[in-house]
């Protein structure tokens, strides 16, 4: 395998050379850019993440391998099945079929080394200097609104701008159906968080919004909410492979179509699948498990908000704002060619390629443009560096579990109950398609913990027996997902503080998981002579949920 040199030039002798962690926290981007020295880094020096970006030296060419892939499974603890799947369905556009990765480390030589070294840093001492009040004040600040204003006022910015009024405060931003009150066309939906990185107990809260192109929102070039709701429902049916779905109240007269097939134009709360979309998009055909062109997603990753009573909520402050747009519709056949091209590149032992588009982000080569913004050391959102963005391809490119390279919408609460801002208190632990037992209960049983790394002690104490087995009856007695996957107030505050230390370091290239202590069940070096999991501990799984089994 080829080896990427980490030789750097023009580095600072004071701020960069041989930095320790405390020195790194005090660095600013300005200092990094202006500092000059003739002394290069030497092997063994503790190089800060900011230096790799400032000097365009690649830190980790295999950043598409996420930290979770280095979990120490002991052959039996399996978090891998949630991403790596194979299917018998012939019409499925996702042709990755990578369930074999539950039983083999198909990494490059460089990938066998775990580059996510933030996992191995104990932050328990660092967070002691941050008071509870300081972190509470921090997470309750809106950093999205000033970020949008900054982009609007930058004449040189060539990327997307996604204003959504009051997004920091969802109760102000969306109506009861999840439709943005500002007329922007964004629609929030209620979905079950993917296990288990996106569980609040493991570090972050978040939400997802979808927006279809104007033709899907209009009839006669005029906005029509009934048309929009009907088209959103058709997208859901297309992605999930449904023939019928419940809907919010829709006026068939305003749509101009008999949606439920009863031969009348009335107010309806369900509709049948049609071959084409409606309104001004009536020339566009539905495609199995694929979104129409120009579909957009907006995903915010937030700190854990927690009030005086210990109630957890989505904090105003955003760790990241993530954006996807389907700039090019690819047919099942075109996607097949893209999967083949990726497999061919890997067979020639080439590192994963990321097509960087400047301000517009990256192209995942499957029809999607992906962009992301993350906090600078002062908490203001900034565009992610191309090395930071390459991390996104690990999940939104070639893994077997996704639907059209996405996760959340396929996990939306089905039909009318799923239109509205995410609310964990309104969801139960329903099973996945084809299964009987709750998804999160199943996950904890297969993983052996409340997170991939089996180090969330609070989850172990709450839901596991002393012998390490899951207390199934207790998990099944949980009233809702909120009770099951939200942290206590002390843990929420500690996780927020731990992540803030990463922000101050700007060390995202080394990992952005909000871990408090050094990871114990994570490999620093993979032994490729060993299988990740024994055959009896590998599973078939569909990330779609069976919402019909909700009480």
């Amino acid at each position: 395998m080829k080896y990427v040199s980490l030789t750097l030039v023009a580095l600072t002798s004071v701020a960069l050379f041989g930095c320790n962690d405390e020195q790194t926290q005090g660095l600013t981007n300005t200092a990094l850019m202006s500092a000059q020295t003739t002394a290069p880094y030497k092997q063994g020096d503790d190089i800060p993440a900011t230096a790799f970006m400032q000097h365009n030296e690649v830190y980790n060419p295999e950043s598409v391998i996420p930290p979770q892939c280095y979990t120490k499974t002991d052959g039996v603890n399996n978090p891998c099945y949630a991403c790596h799947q194979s299917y018998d369905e012939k019409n499925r556009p996702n042709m990755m079929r990578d369930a074999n990765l539950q039983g083999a480390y198909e990494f490059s030589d460089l990938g066998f080394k775990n580059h996510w070294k933030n996992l191995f840093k104990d932050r328990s001492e660092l967070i002691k200097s941050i008071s509870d009040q300081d972190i509470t004040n921090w997470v309750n600040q809106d950093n999205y609104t000033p970020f949008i204003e900054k982009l609007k006022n930058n004449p040189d910015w060539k990327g997307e701008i996604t204003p959504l009024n009051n997004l920091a405060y969802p109760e102000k931003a969306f109506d009861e159906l999840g439709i943005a009150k500002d007329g922007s066309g964004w629609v929030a939906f209620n979905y079950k968080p993917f296990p288990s990185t996106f569980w609040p107990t493991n570090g972050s809260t978040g939400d997802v919004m979808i927006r279809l192109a104007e033709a899907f929102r209009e009839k006669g070039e005029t906005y029509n909410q009934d048309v929009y709701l009907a088209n959103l429902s058709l997208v859901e049916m297309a992605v999930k492979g449904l023939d019928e779905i419940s809907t919010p109240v829709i006026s068939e007269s305003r749509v101009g179509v008999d949606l439920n097939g009863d031969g009348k134009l009335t107010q309806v709360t369900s509709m049948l699948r049609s071959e084409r979309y409606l309104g001004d998009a009536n020339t566009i055909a539905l495609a199995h498990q694929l979104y129409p062109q120009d579909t957009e997603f907006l995903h915010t990753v937030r700190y854990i908000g927690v009030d005086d009573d210990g109630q957890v909520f989505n904090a105003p402050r955003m760790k990241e704002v993530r954006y996807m747009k389907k700039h090019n519709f690819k047919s099942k056949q075109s996607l097949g060619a893209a999967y083949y091209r990726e497999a061919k590149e890997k067979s020639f032992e080439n590192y994963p390629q990321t097509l960087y588009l400047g301000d517009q982000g990256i192209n995942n080569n499957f029809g999607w443009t992906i962009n992301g913004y993350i906090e600078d050391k002062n908490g203001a959102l900034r565009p992610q560096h191309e090395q930071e963005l390459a991390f996104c391809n690990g999940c939104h490119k070639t893994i077997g579990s996704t639907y059209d390279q996405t996760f959340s919408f396929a996990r939306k609460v089905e039909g009318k109950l799923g239109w509205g801002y995410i609310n964990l208190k309104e969801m139960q632990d329903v099973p996945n398609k084809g299964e009987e037992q709750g998804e999160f209960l199943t996950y904890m049983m297969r993983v052996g913990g409340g997170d991939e790394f089996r180090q969330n002690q609070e989850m172990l104490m709450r839901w596991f027996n002393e012998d390490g087995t899951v207390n199934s009856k207790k998990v099944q007695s949980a009233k809702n997902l909120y009770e099951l996957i939200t942290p206590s107030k002390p843990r929420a505050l500690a996780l927020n503080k731990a992540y803030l230390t990463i922000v101050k370091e700007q060390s995202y290239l080394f990992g952005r998981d909000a871990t408090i202590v050094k990871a114990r069940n994570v490999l620093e070096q993979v032994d490729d002579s060993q299988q990740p999991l024994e055959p009896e501990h590998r599973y078939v799984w569909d990330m779609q949920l069976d919402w019909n089994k909700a009480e």
Side-chain angles (χ1 to χ4, degrees):
M1 292 294 296
K2 61 184 179 182
Y3 179 78
V4 177
S5 170
L6 300 181
T7 304
L8 301 173
V9 295
L11 303 174
T12 169
S13 59
V14 177
L16 297 182
F17 185 77
C19 283
N20 60 30
D21 293 330
E22 288 71 30
Q23 290 172 322
T24 302
Q25 291 179 41
L27 295 174
T28 66
N29 286 341
T30 302
L32 282 167
M33 294 176 69
S34 62
Q36 297 287 327
T37 182
T38 57
Y41 281 120
K42 300 188 298 295
Q43 186 174 2
D45 288 341
D46 188 11
I47 306 171
T50 46
F52 288 96
M53 295 185 290
Q54 291 296 335
H55 298 278
N56 292 318
E57 288 286 341
V58 177
Y59 166 67
N60 181 14
E62 287 281 24
S63 62
V64 297
I65 304 175
Q68 290 74 18
C69 287
Y70 293 97
T71 299
K72 188 184 297 182
T73 65
D74 296 327
V76 299
N77 301 296
N78 183 357
C80 314
Y81 77 92
C83 286
H84 301 300
Q85 286 300 317
S86 295
Y87 299 90
D88 294 330
E89 182 189 346
K90 294 180 180 179
N91 292 328
R92 187 176 174 90
N94 186 337
M95 302 176 189
M96 192 59 192
R97 295 185 176 89
D98 59 356
N100 64 296
L101 295 181
Q102 296 182 42
Y105 289 110
E106 293 187 2
F107 295 164
S108 67
D109 292 347
L110 186 67
F112 287 121
K113 175 179 172 56
N114 186 348
H115 287 76
W116 305 108
K117 59 184 183 180
N118 271 346
L119 290 173
F120 305 105
K121 184 168 184 176
D122 189 324
R123 298 183 180 274
S124 54
E125 288 298 318
L126 288 174
I127 68 177
K128 288 181 180 179
S129 63
I130 306 171
S131 72
D132 290 352
Q133 189 59 57
D134 283 344
I135 196 64
T136 299
N137 293 342
W138 178 264
V139 305
N140 286 332
Q141 294 172 350
D142 172 12
N143 61 346
Y144 173 81
T145 301
F147 158 69
I148 291 295
E149 291 305 310
K150 183 177 180 179
L151 293 185
K152 286 181 178 179
N153 294 325
N154 182 357
D156 298 323
W157 176 251
K158 294 178 175 59
E160 82 292 334
I161 302 176
T162 57
L164 203 168
N165 290 351
N166 294 312
L167 182 55
Y169 309 101
E171 68 282 0
K172 297 180 181 179
F174 304 101
D175 67 16
E176 61 181 7
L177 294 178
I179 299 173
K181 296 177 181 178
D182 63 0
S184 61
W186 288 109
V187 184
F189 54 90
N190 198 18
Y191 65 98
K192 193 177 184 187
F194 194 77
S196 68
T197 299
F198 292 98
W199 293 355
T201 183
N202 291 324
S204 301
T205 60
D207 53 26
V208 182
M209 286 66 66
I210 187 172
R211 182 166 65 181
L212 304 182
E214 285 188 356
F216 294 81
R217 299 178 244 158
E218 297 178 348
K219 182 183 178 184
E221 299 185 354
T222 300
Y223 176 73
N224 185 315
Q225 180 169 300
D226 295 271
V227 166
Y228 197 14
L229 288 171
N231 278 329
L232 286 165
S233 299
L234 287 172
V235 170
E236 184 172 355
M237 284 191 277
V239 170
K240 295 181 177 180
L242 304 175
D243 294 322
E244 185 175 0
I245 200 167
S246 64
T247 68
V249 176
I250 296 177
S251 168
E252 290 177 314
S253 298
R254 283 182 50 78
V255 178
V257 174
D258 177 14
L259 299 175
N260 63 359
D262 66 356
K264 305 173 184 177
L265 294 183
T266 61
Q267 304 267 23
V268 298
T269 56
S270 68
M271 62 183 289
L272 302 174
R273 181 186 176 114
S274 61
E275 292 186 2
R276 298 184 179 277
Y277 290 100
L278 304 168
D280 292 351
N282 60 9
T283 61
I284 302 172
L286 276 68
H288 182 57
Q289 295 185 354
L290 298 173
Y291 301 97
Q293 184 165 318
D294 293 326
T295 298
E296 297 171 280
F297 285 101
L298 191 62
H299 171 35
T300 75
V301 182
R302 306 180 185 224
Y303 287 84
I304 307 168
V306 57
D307 64 20
D308 293 339
D309 298 322
Q311 290 293 298
V312 167
F313 60 94
N314 285 12
R317 177 172 288 279
M318 299 172 191
K319 296 178 175 180
E320 297 184 51
V321 173
R322 299 173 176 178
Y323 172 80
M324 291 180 68
K325 182 174 182 177
K326 191 166 188 178
H327 65 265
N328 182 24
F329 178 85
K330 288 179 177 284
S331 66
K332 178 176 176 289
Q333 291 72 24
S334 295
L335 289 170
Y339 281 110
Y340 175 76
R341 183 169 57 249
E342 288 287 318
K344 185 177 179 181
E345 287 290 322
K346 187 170 184 177
S347 71
F348 280 102
E349 298 188 339
N350 292 326
Y351 290 136
Q353 300 299 307
T354 296
L355 180 58
Y356 184 57
L357 306 174
D359 289 347
Q360 297 177 48
I362 59 176
N363 182 341
N364 76 348
N365 293 323
F366 285 79
W368 292 92
T369 300
I370 302 173
N371 215 348
Y373 309 89
I374 204 162
E375 288 180 286
D376 67 17
K377 67 171 298 182
N378 297 314
L381 290 166
R382 63 163 175 81
Q384 292 192 38
H385 186 272
E386 58 185 290
Q387 287 193 59
E388 295 167 328
L389 281 173
F391 170 75
C392 305
N393 272 340
C395 290
H396 295 289
K397 199 171 186 181
T398 53
I399 60 173
S401 65
T402 58
Y403 283 72
D404 202 353
Q405 277 60 53
T406 70
F407 293 87
S408 57
F409 196 71
R411 297 174 59 81
K412 172 189 171 291
V413 176
E414 193 167 298
K416 64 181 179 181
L417 297 179
W419 296 114
Y421 192 76
I422 186 170
N423 188 342
L424 298 179
K425 294 181 178 179
E426 291 183 349
M427 280 183 280
Q428 295 175 318
D429 186 26
V430 297
N432 297 93
K433 289 282 185 73
E435 300 187 15
E436 296 295 326
Q437 188 173 259
E439 176 191 43
F440 289 177
L441 170 59
T442 299
Y443 182 84
M444 287 189 280
M445 292 175 67
R446 292 177 176 178
V447 171
D451 66 315
E452 294 93 340
F453 306 136
R454 309 189 300 282
Q455 68 180 48
N456 184 331
Q457 294 300 310
E458 188 169 90
M459 288 291 282
L460 292 172
M461 292 177 64
R462 281 182 177 179
W463 307 114
F464 286 75
N465 300 311
E466 290 185 3
D467 64 0
T469 60
V470 181
N471 188 331
S472 299
K473 289 185 178 179
K474 190 175 182 182
V475 172
Q476 290 169 332
S477 70
K479 293 181 296 185
N480 49 42
L481 293 190
Y482 177 90
E483 182 180 340
L484 197 57
I485 62 170
T486 55
S488 65
K489 183 173 182 178
R491 178 167 172 80
L493 294 173
L495 288 167
N496 288 337
K497 293 174 184 178
Y499 185 80
L500 180 57
T501 64
I502 295 175
V503 172
K504 294 301 181 183
E505 295 168 354
Q506 292 289 283
S507 60
Y508 306 119
L509 289 185
F510 303 154
R512 53 188 88 176
D513 294 279
T515 52
I516 301 168
V517 297
K518 180 179 178 179
R520 297 185 300 275
N521 297 314
V522 179
L523 300 169
E524 295 190 55
Q525 184 73 35
V526 172
D527 180 359
D528 63 327
S529 67
Q530 296 184 351
Q531 300 178 98
L533 293 149
E534 300 297 333
E536 63 269 26
H537 294 286
R538 304 171 197 167
Y539 307 103
V540 175
W541 184 77
D542 189 327
M543 75 169 182
Q544 277 200 59
L545 290 310
D546 189 347
W547 294 105
N548 293 323
K549 293 182 179 175
E551 293 182 7

